Amino acid sequence: MMQYLTKNQIAKLLHVSVRTITSYMTKGLLPKPKRLGRRLLWDEVELQHLMAGSPKPAESRQALFQPAEPQPAMSPKKGRPRKVAVLNG
């Protein structure tokens, strides 16, 4: 029989806050949850396979905080240009 875990249970399992689990969800670090009404549930087996890839939870958390790749320079905003104050000198 399949076992499902809630966000609170996953947070306790990984020794992190519920807010961190939400952050992991938005970053795509967790598999997509199943919905049961308003409740989000994760398959315990999928999470175990995911965790089996890293021997220590602390190491997997450190990998999340590696510096991101530099973003390409943004193009100037489209639309009406800003008014610029000119100082008389």
Side-chain angles (χ1 to χ4, degrees), residues 70-87:
Q71 297 290 327
M74 294 181 66
S75 61
K77 292 184 177 180
K78 296 180 181 178
R80 190 169 155 193
R82 290 185 180 182
K83 293 181 182 178
V84 178
V86 178
L87 301 174

Side-chain angles (χ1 to χ4, degrees), residues 1-5 10 13-14 28-35 41-54:
M1 187 163 102
M2 294 184 91
Q3 291 281 340
Y4 290 99
L5 300 174
I10 295 171
L13 181 69
L14 297 177
L29 299 174
L30 290 176
K32 289 206 173 207
K34 311 281 189 270
R35 278 198 178 267
L41 300 171
W42 284 265
D43 182 10
E44 186 177 22
V45 174
E46 284 184 41
L47 288 172
Q48 287 175 352
H49 286 298
L50 182 68
M51 291 187 319
S54 71

Side-chain angles (χ1 to χ4, degrees), residues 48-76:
Q48 287 175 352
H49 286 298
L50 182 68
M51 291 187 319
S54 71
K56 295 180 185 175
E59 289 178 6
S60 63
R61 277 187 255 140
Q62 287 175 351
L64 294 174
F65 299 107
Q66 296 298 323
E69 294 179 21
Q71 297 290 327
M74 294 181 66
S75 61

Side-chain angles (χ1 to χ4, degrees), residues 2-21:
M2 294 184 91
Q3 291 281 340
Y4 290 99
L5 300 174
T6 64
K7 196 185 291 189
N8 288 332
Q9 291 170 326
I10 295 171
K12 286 180 184 177
L13 181 69
L14 297 177
H15 305 287
V16 297
S17 69
V18 175
R19 194 170 195 179
T20 302
I21 298 300

